[in-house]
Each structure stands twice: as structure tokens, then as C-alpha cells.
Amino acid sequence: MASVGVASSAAPTLRAQDVVQMSVTGTDASPATKAALTGSLILVGAAGAQAIKTPKAWSRTWEGFGSRVADQTGFYLVQTTTFRSLGRALDYRQDAVLCPRDALVGCAFTATFTAFDREGRRRFNAPLVTSILVGTGASLLWRPERQGNAESWGFVGTRLGIAFGGYVAERILVDWWAQRN
């Protein structure tokens, strides 16, 4: 969280720049490809939760797996809807410029937690951060962890860590892959 604070405090002071459009974020992919990737990520997330049996109240059966798939799908729908709505309302564009290989991790962190406003100024990525917080809160409404305070906070911390860490890791992997040769 301290790193997010550093990124957000530094973000408004960076100079404006043009955003070079490229397919780093996959926005140019076909709808079928996007649907297949989304479905695959939902199934992988549910399989991971099934493997570690989280939440414990959902058994390791097909019914439990179905509950985990529904949880992942619900989180995805809420998070994506919030992200797109807020992104349009604020007119923010995600950073789509490839990170340099010699600064991949730091750049990926900055590119994840900042975005460009309508004037091209780098700002705190409110659409992404807010959407993950809202998606996590919504997930807590249907998950069994909502019954206990400690379990609720444990779930929230875990989901936020996985979601934020996943976005940074995805950015590192995508940028590394694009520059691998």
C-alpha cells in the first residue's frame, strides 16, 4: 500500500506525454479471443481456489468448483463494469507504452497504478484501483467469509493482493514477451 501511495503522490507531477497506442494491453484482440482468455482466467482462478480449498465452506466437489467459478465470474463482471464506467467518466487511458527491459518491474508498477487523463497527464489509476476495491467488496456479499470479521478481512487482503499483484505481473509478462527477441 505504501508503494501505491508513492505512485499516486508522484503521478500528478510527471510531465504530460502523448500516449502511443500499441497492443500491449490486448485491446486489439478479437472478441472471441478476449472471451476465450477471460473464460480461461476465470477457470484457472477457480481451479486455484479449488486446489487450496478456499473458501473452506465450499467443498472440493463439482458443486464447490461451480461456486468458485461463479465467484470469479461475479468478481470479473463487477470489476470490469466499474473499471470501464469510471475510465469513461474520467476519460482515462491506460499506459500502453512498452516498459524498457532494464526497468521492467518498476515501470510495470508505475504503468499499472497510473493512467493518463484527457490532457495526457499521468495520474493515479483511479479506474483500476476503484474497480478492484468494488469487485472485492461485491464478492464479499456472496462469499461465506462475510459471516466473520477476521475471515472477511483475511479474504479482502488476499483478494486485493492477488488482484493488484496479478495486474503488475501481467504487465511484466506482456512487456517482456513483446520484447523477448
Side-chain angles (χ1 to χ4, degrees):
M1 286 304 196
S3 300
V4 173
V6 169
S8 63
S9 65
T13 62
L14 298 174
R15 104 182 134 70
Q17 61 181 331
D18 292 331
V19 177
V20 178
Q21 293 302 316
M22 49 188 2
S23 188
V24 172
T25 59
T27 55
D28 297 335
S30 72
T33 300
K34 288 179 185 179
L37 288 171
T38 299
S40 296
L41 288 173
I42 287 170
L43 291 174
V44 166
Q50 181 92 342
I52 64 172
K53 199 173 187 284
T54 183
K56 294 190 184 324
W58 294 341
S59 61
R60 282 192 184 142
T61 61
W62 283 109
E63 183 181 346
F65 183 70
S67 295
R68 290 174 177 94
V69 169
D71 170 54
Q72 294 291 321
T73 302
F75 173 77
Y76 170 78
L77 291 173
V78 172
Q79 191 262 329
T80 301
T81 302
T82 304
F83 175 77
R84 290 182 181 170
S85 299
L86 194 53
R88 282 189 191 111
L90 294 174
D91 194 19
Y92 272 29
R93 295 176 308 265
Q94 301 306 303
D95 188 339
V97 177
L98 281 172
C99 290
R101 286 196 76 146
D102 60 343
L104 193 57
V105 174
C107 176
F109 189 87
T110 300
T112 299
F113 289 102
T114 62
F116 294 98
D117 66 12
R118 64 180 57 94
E119 284 88 35
R121 291 180 301 222
R122 189 177 291 273
R123 299 285 187 204
F124 177 69
N125 195 346
L128 178 67
V129 173
T130 302
S131 70
I132 291 172
L133 292 171
V134 170
T136 299
S139 293
L140 195 55
L141 295 175
W142 59 73
R143 288 182 59 104
E145 291 94 335
R146 71 183 179 280
Q147 303 301 328
N149 195 28
E151 292 90 3
S152 295
W153 283 110
F155 163 73
V156 168
T158 302
R159 175 67 58 97
L160 292 177
I162 290 169
F164 289 130
Y167 273 98
V168 173
E170 176 189 27
R171 183 59 191 253
I172 291 168
L173 180 63
V174 168
D175 284 19
W176 172 81
W177 186 260
Q179 300 176 57
R180 69 191 181 283
N181 293 332

